[in-house]
Amino acid sequence: MFKKVIIAEDLDSINFGIEKVLSDLGIENYHYAKYCDDAFLKIRKAAQDNEPYDLLISDLSFKADHREINLASGDELVQKTREFQPDIKIITYSVEDKKYRIKSLFENAAINAFVLKGRNSIEELKKAINIISASDEKFVSPEIASLLQEKNNFEIDDIDITILKYLAEGESQDDIIEIFKSASIKPNSKSAIEKRLSKLKDFFKANNTVQLVFMAKDMGII
């Protein structure tokens, strides 16, 4: 079982629930942070003191306030933590249910478990902790597991992400076509870019390009 846990969560009510889970499992050495920056500082200091955390439990969404921050989301925290301390186990504990964002967490940040906040989240969090503490097996809440298994005829690729990034920077569709042609990025025809934009809007259920960019940012894709 884990010996030292760091919780990144900005709501006290959720923190109390997580702490109760840890206490029920006999884990007494835990700390929490309401900001991702603070959580990472604790993780870094613990490692430098040769007393590293062996589990991070993090939400994904953190409400912004007056404080200036570097790490704005749990996605950024888990990615930076994984790079800094590759052997730490990571559980994301969130209301997030967007397929792409969750897949990205497993593929790019190598999280060990995803627990969906909801009616059964306390028991699922206990189960996740037990499973990943004893093995390299992954845990995913049943609702999310079924979502990840769903087949989709359209999958976002690197070209789609590049298009979204240029749109976010204020480039027009015509500008993106010229940029692609100059960099020999294919496809770069007007019809191909229009087709991709149309599929992206359908995928995100966005009414226009502005909403498309907003939703892509909100999901952590760009």
Side-chain angles (χ1 to χ4, degrees):
M1 183 50 68
F2 296 110
K3 302 298 183 184
K4 188 175 182 181
V5 180
I6 176 73
I7 306 163
E9 170 62 63
D10 57 357
L11 297 179
D12 288 337
S13 58
I14 303 296
N15 269 322
F16 294 149
I18 298 173
E19 290 175 5
K20 178 66 165 58
V21 168
L22 297 178
S23 295
D24 289 348
L25 293 173
I27 302 171
E28 298 180 354
N29 190 2
Y30 54 81
H31 307 95
Y32 70 91
K34 293 185 177 182
Y35 294 88
C36 292
D37 288 346
D38 292 348
F40 185 71
L41 286 175
K42 289 177 183 289
I43 290 167
R44 188 169 63 183
K45 186 177 186 305
Q48 291 170 346
D49 293 342
N50 292 317
E51 296 178 347
Y53 291 99
D54 48 10
L55 174 64
L56 163 65
I57 302 174
S58 179
D59 194 358
L60 295 179
S61 301
F62 290 77
K63 189 174 181 179
D65 58 17
H66 62 281
R67 177 172 167 173
E68 185 176 340
I69 54 175
N70 293 311
L71 301 176
S73 69
D75 308 65
E76 295 176 47
L77 171 62
V78 299
Q79 183 65 52
K80 191 163 184 176
T81 299
R82 176 61 72 212
E83 293 168 0
F84 175 74
Q85 189 179 332
D87 61 339
I88 192 172
K89 295 291 180 78
I90 299 175
I91 297 175
T92 52
Y93 186 50
S94 172
V95 295
E96 178 62 70
D97 61 359
K98 297 182 179 69
K99 180 178 177 179
Y100 179 87
R101 191 175 184 186
I102 297 167
K103 285 183 67 176
S104 177
L105 287 165
F106 278 103
E107 293 172 1
N108 300 322
I111 64 171
N112 302 93
F114 186 97
V115 178
L116 183 69
K117 290 179 180 176
R119 289 191 180 94
N120 302 314
S121 56
I122 294 298
E123 290 306 313
E124 288 178 5
L125 183 57
K126 285 183 181 179
K127 186 174 181 180
I129 292 172
N130 276 317
I131 288 173
I132 71 171
S133 68
S135 69
D136 291 327
E137 184 182 348
K138 305 287 186 181
F139 176 87
V140 186
S141 290
E143 303 97 314
I144 298 301
S146 60
L147 176 68
L148 295 178
Q149 290 170 1
E150 288 179 2
K151 297 295 183 182
N152 195 312
N153 292 328
F154 177 67
E155 292 290 341
I156 297 174
D157 60 21
D158 291 340
I159 297 296
D160 296 315
I161 293 174
T162 301
I163 291 172
L164 289 169
K165 285 180 178 178
Y166 279 125
L167 289 173
E169 291 170 4
E171 303 289 355
S172 69
Q173 181 177 311
D174 290 338
D175 291 335
I176 293 171
I177 292 169
E178 291 305 314
I179 291 170
F180 275 26
K181 287 181 177 179
S182 298
S184 298
I185 299 173
K186 294 183 179 181
N188 54 33
S189 67
K190 184 174 182 179
S191 61
I193 299 300
E194 286 179 344
K195 188 175 181 181
R196 281 181 175 263
L197 279 172
S198 178
K199 285 187 175 181
L200 284 167
K201 287 176 183 175
D202 288 342
F203 180 80
F204 287 102
K205 296 181 174 59
N207 295 321
N208 51 54
T209 302
V210 173
Q211 188 179 21
L212 173 63
V213 170
F214 176 82
M215 295 177 74
K217 287 182 176 180
D218 184 55
M219 290 173 67
I221 295 173
I222 57 174

